[in-house]
Amino acid sequence: MSENGSGGRVRPARPGDPSRIGPYRIVGRLGAGGMGTVHAGVGSDGTRVAVKVVHPEQAQEPEFRARFRREVELSSRVTGPYLVPLLAADPDAETPWLATAYVPGLTLHQHLLAHGPLTGGSLYALAAATAQALAAIHTAGVVHRDVKPQNVILTPGGPRVLDFGIAHAADGTSVTRTGVMTGTPGWISPEHYRTGTTGPGSDVFAWGALLAYAATGRPPFGTGAPDVVAFRVMSGEPDLDGVPAPLRQVVGKALAKEPDARPSAAEAARMCGELLASQVTQVLPAGAVPETAVDMVTALWDVPAEADPAWHVPPERPRSKRRLVGAVVLVAAVVGGLAGGAAALMPGDTGNGERTSSATPPASPLASAGSPRPSTDTAKDDTAGGKQQAAGDDLADAATVSWGQARAARGEGEHAVASALLHDLDVLARDISPIELSPGAVKFHSSRGEVYFSYRLDAEDEHGIVYAETEIARSMCLTLNDVVLRLHPELPYRTYVTVREEEGRDPQVTWREDFVADAQCRSALEDGTDAAYDIGQDWEPDDSGLGEAMVPSTDGTEIRVADRAATKIIERTNAMRGTLGTDQVLGHDEIKVGFDPANSAMYVWSDYLMWNQGQIETWADMAAGEACRALANQRQTSGDGWPYTRYAVAEIGGSGYLMIRWGSVTSQASCST
């Protein structure tokens, strides 16, 4: 999982994120990666923890579960001053998870981007501490398998090694033609590339590369396409120019091509400890020299502490007294809470729980044509007043009438649903600024099995409206699938309805969908994306195609095209940092390009998970344009001999990769800017 140490920068939770995992209350996100999502959690005593949840797809694999369970057991035995302790885990849960202590600070990767290479005593302290951490891991019979700068946190008290031995089968993977390879290009050992096997020696090799990077700011085998980096690792010499001479000898031995020629982690820790002691005696007076290695690391550690702001932990009120919370609307407008207080007046309300009849505009194009139509029979009113009204034949009319008959939450299950919806939609509203939550936003109609959400939009362009309304529908679908089907299956609800309110107009139904039948919430995603962006229906990208694209190519032309496209997209991404709100310089570790020969498609995918939905869309638009131009340029050069005519852009999410943009290349002019 990437960038787990975020200096206290907790990102908002995303739609569908759980509110609690095990004994921990979830208050946001810390990061994510191929293995799953890292949530920010708080224990009952206020302890801050990082709760890591694996992807549901992996949780379905018995082999993965067995290995995860074994490695959790092994890792619970690993202790040391430079490790992050495992606090709790449930490998047998429906979605396996584990919790570690939260440690503040930047990762080594983030620190070098912000402050440059480590120097002096801090570099020697890093070498000794991380080698000692690996020695402790190996002594417990665990192999880390993913030693890299993103897995080392520089805390105020010294470095800490993250993610030791915890199921890295899909975390930053590089896939070969003969199988799946764990690890990240540039931090993978030669024997791992050659045979796919890993051992303690592989960790030592990655440790040597990490120290070279810490001392110089450059990966010792360079950057670029994974195939190119792999060739350098297996056949080239590391670039150690700039590594201090006393440390260079140890690093050089660690980077030997054969594992038998490398020192063990314990031997490396001993050698680095001697170098550290030499540094200490040069800096401190004789009487002040510490006696232990831990004290020596502390004495020389001179890394500036990063701001670690307090996590925003909303008060946990009793369910019966929770109130509606909106991102933009005035909370004072809410007259009653979810516990059954009087509902705030809406357009058309008479003030006594009844609604006056009115002509309702036709449903928006987003109303799902395939959705089950409401009954045209007289519907029983679900409000306390018992008012009955006949539903019309029109989908929008019928749903709007039943929305007027709906009521606030009652009982523990409905309150849990309303609370989860308000939380997730509030997060969405903060990501998509035109959305305003309405007072009394969540309502229930138990006899019809429908849950309603009303909102307002402050947007004028059609694409912005379509995108916002699609995201609202998808968020509702994901949340209801999670809360109703998993936590409260006793509830009668299976349909969600979204209602848009506008000043001076009657409420308008924008979506109605059976979230039980659409368990993957594909309807909102596909219909809305197609409506907003006119994506062709002749081909759609999928996980299988993306998996093929992750297989490093052996074709020279494909490698050159992918490398040029990735470099251009990375350059433009970094030039858009202000627009994208990116707080770090991204590179080939976060943005990659590959090919799916079977479908003649080129994929661009991002492993950076700190963008909000609007920023993801902006980035994907740019990346799609660059991918399109890369294919068009090569087609112009190679003519009919160039087989790739399709492109897709994907972004990693909490449960896998989400396809954001895709299309076909007809000419250079057909590509967006």
Side-chain angles (χ1 to χ4, degrees):
M1 300 193 184
S2 61
E3 304 296 10
N4 300 346
S6 52
R9 299 185 190 94
V10 178
R11 272 70 178 183
R14 291 195 172 187
D17 281 357
S19 59
R20 184 173 291 275
I21 298 173
Y24 304 108
R25 185 179 176 202
I26 302 306
V27 298
R29 284 190 174 203
L30 291 171
M35 176 186 163
T37 303
V38 187
H39 298 281
V42 179
S44 58
D45 60 353
T47 302
R48 297 190 292 178
V49 299
V51 186
K52 307 176 185 185
V53 180
V54 303
H55 287 316
E57 294 86 349
Q58 292 172 313
Q60 303 307 312
E61 300 176 8
E63 181 182 350
F64 177 91
R65 276 186 175 272
R67 185 157 59 86
F68 185 86
R69 186 182 301 108
R70 175 180 177 273
E71 292 179 344
V72 164
E73 179 184 355
L74 286 173
S75 297
S76 65
R77 307 174 191 169
V78 180
T79 59
Y82 306 116
L83 296 168
V84 181
L86 180 67
L87 301 177
D90 188 355
D92 297 315
E94 181 179 356
T95 304
W97 61 270
L98 62 91
T100 63
Y102 167 78
V103 288
L106 298 181
T107 66
L108 178 62
H109 175 67
Q110 291 170 329
H111 178 89
L112 265 62
L113 290 175
H115 304 291
L118 294 180
T119 59
S122 294
L123 178 60
Y124 288 91
L126 175 79
T130 51
Q132 187 174 328
L134 284 182
I137 292 170
H138 294 168
T139 299
V142 177
V143 178
H144 191 294
R145 294 195 306 263
D146 202 15
V147 177
K148 61 183 179 182
Q150 290 88 343
N151 278 336
V152 176
I153 300 291
L154 307 188
T155 77
R160 300 288 186 276
V161 175
L162 295 173
D163 285 353
F164 47 89
I166 301 294
H168 292 285
D171 190 1
T173 54
S174 171
V175 186
T176 68
R177 293 291 179 187
T178 57
V180 176
M181 180 181 299
T182 64
T184 303
W187 317 101
I188 296 175
S189 65
E191 67 272 16
H192 197 177
Y193 277 121
R194 289 193 298 263
T195 67
T197 60
T198 60
S202 299
D203 284 350
V204 172
F205 182 91
W207 171 82
L210 181 141
L211 289 187
Y213 175 67
T216 66
R218 306 184 308 274
F221 297 99
T223 60
D227 307 75
V228 175
V229 175
F231 178 81
R232 296 187 193 126
V233 168
M234 290 186 287
S235 305
E237 292 300 318
D239 176 11
L240 301 182
D241 187 25
V243 179
L247 195 58
R248 187 181 305 180
Q249 185 177 6
V250 181
V251 171
K253 290 180 179 179
L255 293 175
K257 301 300 182 188
E258 298 301 327
D260 291 343
R262 301 171 202 147
S264 67
E267 291 170 338
R270 178 186 55 78
M271 289 186 285
C272 290
E274 293 174 354
L275 294 176
L276 180 64
S278 176
Q279 291 290 313
V280 169
T281 57
Q282 296 176 34
V283 174
L284 300 179
V289 175
E291 295 183 0
T292 69
V294 172
D295 290 337
M296 283 191 283
V297 168
T298 304
L300 290 187
W301 190 247
D302 186 23
V303 173
E306 296 294 320
D308 186 28
W311 292 8
H312 175 64
V313 182
E316 201 163 19
R317 305 183 185 93
R319 280 200 178 102
S320 62
K321 295 183 180 179
R322 285 184 180 171
R323 290 187 172 183
L324 302 177
V325 179
V328 185
V329 297
L330 295 177
V331 178
V334 181
V335 176
L338 292 177
L345 297 182
M346 297 294 193
D349 265 328
T350 63
N352 59 2
E354 303 177 9
R355 292 192 56 80
T356 58
S357 61
S358 61
T360 305
S364 127
L366 281 180
S368 177
S371 302
R373 294 175 64 87
S375 169
T376 56
D377 298 330
T378 299
K380 181 180 179 181
D381 180 26
D382 207 14
T383 62
K387 176 71 176 179
Q388 294 186 357
Q389 291 186 359
D393 290 334
D394 183 81
L395 171 65
D397 284 338
T400 304
V401 169
S402 58
W403 173 70
Q405 300 167 346
R407 54 167 172 75
R410 296 175 184 167
E412 180 180 355
E414 289 184 4
H415 280 297
V417 171
S419 178
L421 283 173
L422 286 167
H423 172 272
D424 290 351
L425 291 163
D426 180 42
V427 171
L428 181 65
R430 281 178 279 169
D431 279 350
I432 305 175
S433 57
I435 300 177
E436 297 183 4
L437 308 190
S438 302
V442 179
K443 292 184 177 182
F444 298 83
H445 199 307
S446 58
S447 63
R448 297 179 62 87
E450 293 176 338
V451 181
Y452 300 83
F453 173 70
S454 58
Y455 60 93
R456 298 170 184 148
L457 280 182
D458 183 17
E460 296 181 358
D461 68 293
E462 184 62 26
H463 280 187
I465 293 173
V466 170
Y467 168 63
E469 293 184 332
T470 301
E471 287 300 301
I472 290 171
R474 188 166 68 94
S475 178
M476 281 199 73
C477 180
L478 290 168
T479 304
L480 289 170
N481 264 288
D482 181 53
V483 180
V484 174
L485 300 186
R486 184 171 63 87
L487 300 178
H488 292 281
E490 76 281 0
L491 293 175
Y493 303 106
R494 62 176 297 124
T495 302
Y496 67 90
V497 182
T498 63
V499 181
R500 179 180 175 184
E501 296 184 276
E502 293 182 81
E503 189 173 353
R505 294 186 61 181
D506 290 320
Q508 181 180 1
V509 170
T510 53
W511 210 289
R512 184 177 186 275
E513 191 74 48
D514 185 331
F515 65 86
V516 177
D518 186 20
Q520 300 302 314
C521 301
R522 296 296 303 173
S523 177
L525 177 62
E526 293 168 356
D527 292 352
T529 304
D530 290 348
Y533 300 102
D534 194 26
I535 295 173
Q537 295 299 312
D538 59 327
W539 170 77
E540 291 186 4
D542 54 28
D543 292 342
S544 175
L546 179 59
E548 279 296 313
M550 290 180 173
V551 177
S553 174
T554 58
D555 182 89
T557 302
E558 290 180 8
I559 293 172
R560 286 193 298 273
V561 173
D563 196 40
R564 284 200 300 265
T567 300
K568 182 64 175 178
I569 293 170
I570 289 168
E571 288 176 354
R572 290 198 61 186
T573 300
N574 289 325
M576 297 166 61
R577 289 173 66 191
T579 301
L580 297 176
T582 308
D583 58 0
Q584 71 178 78
V585 177
L586 304 186
H588 289 277
D589 284 344
E590 294 85 14
I591 298 173
K592 304 177 180 70
V593 177
F595 291 93
D596 170 19
N599 290 291
S600 301
M602 181 171 81
Y603 282 77
V604 180
W605 65 98
S606 165
D607 288 332
Y608 186 73
L609 196 73
M610 297 307 168
W611 290 318
N612 63 34
Q613 290 296 324
Q615 291 163 347
I616 288 173
E617 297 286 332
T618 300
W619 175 80
D621 283 337
M622 177 276 292
E626 291 299 337
C628 180
R629 279 187 289 278
L631 294 180
N633 289 338
Q634 188 59 38
R635 185 179 182 184
Q636 188 174 7
T637 301
S638 303
D640 294 338
W642 179 246
Y644 295 98
T645 59
R646 296 164 173 164
Y647 60 88
V649 179
E651 166 72 7
I652 194 169
S655 59
Y657 287 92
L658 178 66
M659 305 300 165
I660 309 294
R661 296 283 185 275
W662 61 91
S664 299
V665 180
T666 56
S667 66
Q668 181 76 257
S670 68
C671 302
S672 64
T673 57

